[in-house]
Amino acid sequence: MLTSVHIKSFRGISGLKIDALAPINIFVGANGSGKTSALKAIGMVTTPGISRGKSIFFTPYNA
């Protein structure tokens, strides 16, 4: 289970850091605020084979 995520320079997200992910999370925001982009970024590093030709850097660490 992911406990935190840091997204940098992905789609419309210049930088996003979430430190307290729970087993179930709800993303709420206005249209175009980056909810789907955040979920796609998380999906790209947690689902094998979805890189779409872009470099993905995933650095697991224990907090």
Side-chain angles (χ1 to χ4, degrees):
M1 180 179 91
L2 290 177
T3 57
S4 67
V5 66
H6 185 192
I7 302 167
K8 183 177 177 184
S9 300
F10 180 78
R11 296 178 106 187
I13 300 173
S14 58
L16 171 67
K17 188 172 183 181
I18 304 171
D19 288 322
L21 289 173
I24 297 175
N25 299 277
I26 300 172
F27 286 54
V28 177
N31 289 345
S33 63
K35 301 176 300 291
T36 300
S37 294
L39 293 173
K40 284 193 178 279
I42 293 167
M44 287 178 76
V45 298
T46 58
T47 307
I50 301 188
S51 70
R52 302 182 118 192
K54 300 194 180 225
S55 296
I56 303 291
F57 298 100
F58 177 57
T59 308
Y61 65 93
N62 294 329

